[in-house]
């Protein structure tokens, strides 16, 4: 009778696939069609379809649901996609390390960041990285704060930047930046005439929120609960651009970073009002893979993001990293 160890080894021994199959599986999941995925990675459609079927057969479970107009991942497929992306990331990191040994500071660094950080800070920081390390390519993934931490935890990204109210993480962290929220209001709104607003002024009104997992919406919900008030958030959007469009049409009000509001207020689409309270100052945290899992290129980029001198585009004053402990307090 076979032992458990022998049974596990036998099951693993039956699993055979190559990087082309992994790339095909990932592309099919992203594009929703094996023909489009085959075109992306330069495979014949018939060969691609056969590879997907053989991949599923090895695990003994359907990874895709066949629909009239495409393919959608099953629950099992979504679980395996996370493993496939982790493996692809490991291969890319292996290539990165080999390239670094051959040519010095070369390679690909995958950076995940929340939208607020992308819009306000990262363009400047990535430019500095390019100037300092022209051989390093930065692959930027934009997600909400929760998605950023998940991406780094799963190995999909080397470095992540997220908003600190999300809570703690076991990953190595250090302070990154801070911003200040303002209230964006339609013209003619009762709050538009105020010079400053407090939390209790905001909560009675319809608020345009960001999608599930966004740190800003989660923090606002916690603040409302702590004050014993109800948060009215019937409309949720995926980006500040969409939020601005809703506000401009008078559908509601919204909180966004002051610098983001400056970018989106073109054509005098809506007004902004200062927000009172320490809660309106947000702190961002830089996290990364454990040192033993980081390439030399990744460590170089992480160090530059954390320490590079930064300038305000309007005042010319240096922007310092936030003055808080490296590991953010857990959300309460």
């Amino acid at each position: 009778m076979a032992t458990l160890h022998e049974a596990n080894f036998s099951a693993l021994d039956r699993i055979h696939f190559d990087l082309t199959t992994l790339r095909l599986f990932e592309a099919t999941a992203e594009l929703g069609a094996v023909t489009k995925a085959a075109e992306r990675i330069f495979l014949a459609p018939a060969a691609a379809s056969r590879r997907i079927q053989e991949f599923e057969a090895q695990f003994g479970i359907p990874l895709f649901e066949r629909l009239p107009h495409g393919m959608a991942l099953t629950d099992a497929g979504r679980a395996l996609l996370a493993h496939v992306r982790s493996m692809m990331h490991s291969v890319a990191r292996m290539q990165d390390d080999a390239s670094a040994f051959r040519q010095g500071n070369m390679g690909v660094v995958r950076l995940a960041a929340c939208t607020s950080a992308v819009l306000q800070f990262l363009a400047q920081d990535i430019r500095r990285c390019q100037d300092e390390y022209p051989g390093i390519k930065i692959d930027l993934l934009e997600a909400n704060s929760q998605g950023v931490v998940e991406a780094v935890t799963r190995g999909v990204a080397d470095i992540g930047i997220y908003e600190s109210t999300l809570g703690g993480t076991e990953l190595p962290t250090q302070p990154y930046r801070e911003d200040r929220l303002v209230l964006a209001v339609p013209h003619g709104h009762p709050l538009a005439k105020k010079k400053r607003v407090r939390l209790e002024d905001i909560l009675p009104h319809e608020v345009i929120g960001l999608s599930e997992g966004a740190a800003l919406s989660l923090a606002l919900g916690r603040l409302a609960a702590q004050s014993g008030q109800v948060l009215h958030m019937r409309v949720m959007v995926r980006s500040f651009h969409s939020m601005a469009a809703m506000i401009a049409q008078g559908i509601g009000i919204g909180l966004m970073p002051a610098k983001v509001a400056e970018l989106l207020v073109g054509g005098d689409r809506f007004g902004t009002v200062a927000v009172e309270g320490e809660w309106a100052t947000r702190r961002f945290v830089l996290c990364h893979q454990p040192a033993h899992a980081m390439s030399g290129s990744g460590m170089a980029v992480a160090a530059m993001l954390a320490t590079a001198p930064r300038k305000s585009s309007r005042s010319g004053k240096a922007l310092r990293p936030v003055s808080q402990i490296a590991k953010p307090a857990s959300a309460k």
Side-chain angles (χ1 to χ4, degrees):
M1 184 175 179
T3 66
L4 179 61
H5 175 76
E6 290 170 337
N8 287 340
F9 180 81
S10 177
L12 289 173
D13 197 43
R14 292 196 299 269
I15 299 175
H16 298 282
F17 49 79
D18 54 28
L19 292 179
T20 300
T21 299
L22 296 184
R23 292 190 185 99
L24 175 64
F25 175 76
E26 183 180 34
T28 304
E30 292 175 354
L31 299 174
V34 71
T35 52
K36 293 180 180 178
E39 183 179 352
R40 174 187 282 186
I41 66 171
F42 307 105
L43 277 180
S49 181
R50 185 170 60 252
R51 279 178 178 266
I52 290 294
Q53 291 173 3
E54 292 173 352
F55 193 58
E56 290 178 308
Q58 291 187 70
F59 293 102
I61 49 175
L63 304 179
F64 290 98
E65 181 182 358
R66 272 68 176 178
L67 304 172
H69 302 290
M71 300 170 67
L73 286 171
T74 62
D75 289 343
R78 280 188 286 272
L80 264 63
L81 179 61
H83 294 293
V84 167
R85 284 175 169 163
S86 179
M87 285 187 283
M88 297 303 296
H89 173 69
S90 295
V91 171
R93 193 166 64 235
M94 180 173 63
Q95 293 173 324
D96 176 22
D97 285 343
S99 179
F101 277 108
R102 289 196 308 269
Q103 304 178 42
N105 279 322
M106 303 285 289
V108 177
V109 176
R110 288 162 175 80
L111 170 62
C114 61
T115 301
S116 293
V118 172
L119 290 176
Q120 297 182 92
F121 312 123
L122 271 176
Q124 181 183 11
D125 283 351
I126 289 175
R127 177 59 184 268
R128 289 186 59 83
C129 286
Q130 289 180 335
D131 291 344
E132 184 71 18
Y133 303 111
I136 296 178
K137 174 186 174 183
I138 295 179
D139 187 356
L140 178 62
L141 167 66
E142 186 175 343
N144 59 40
S145 288
Q146 182 175 314
V148 166
V149 174
E150 289 177 356
V152 181
T153 300
R154 292 179 180 177
V156 176
D158 303 295
I159 303 168
I161 297 172
Y162 65 95
E163 206 273 312
S164 66
T165 57
L166 184 67
T169 173
E170 295 303 315
L171 296 165
T173 60
Q174 53 191 305
Y176 177 60
R177 296 281 197 90
E178 66 180 35
D179 69 9
R180 184 78 186 180
L181 296 174
V182 296
L183 183 68
V185 295
H187 296 300
H189 191 276
L191 296 180
K193 297 179 181 179
K194 288 181 170 288
K195 292 184 177 180
R196 306 182 70 85
V197 294
R198 297 172 296 177
L199 178 65
E200 51 265 39
D201 299 320
I202 297 170
L203 293 178
H205 300 275
E206 289 291 341
V207 177
I208 307 298
L210 292 174
S211 57
E212 183 179 355
L216 179 53
S217 293
L218 294 174
L220 191 57
R222 280 197 301 270
L223 289 167
Q226 290 169 2
S227 66
Q229 299 187 60
V230 177
L231 175 62
H232 303 280
M233 193 181 290
R234 291 188 296 180
V235 178
M236 300 186 74
V237 296
R238 296 182 61 86
S239 69
F240 286 118
H241 290 83
S242 298
M243 180 188 290
M246 297 291 171
I247 294 168
Q249 290 299 316
I251 295 173
I253 60 177
L255 288 163
M256 60 178 65
K259 289 186 178 180
V260 173
E262 290 177 9
L263 291 172
L264 301 179
V265 76
D268 199 29
R269 300 167 66 198
F270 54 81
T272 59
V273 183
V275 179
E276 291 185 0
E278 176 59 24
W279 66 269
T281 295
R282 303 190 308 161
R283 295 170 175 83
F284 296 87
V285 177
L286 184 150
C287 66
H288 58 79
Q289 294 282 336
H292 66 82
M294 289 281 280
S295 66
S297 299
M299 293 300 291
V301 171
M304 173 158 284
L305 289 174
T307 62
R310 306 169 180 102
K311 298 290 184 181
S312 161
S313 61
R314 298 189 71 185
S315 66
K317 296 180 180 178
L319 295 174
R320 296 171 296 174
V322 299
S323 55
Q324 63 169 31
I325 57 173
K327 193 167 184 178
S330 298
K332 297 181 179 179

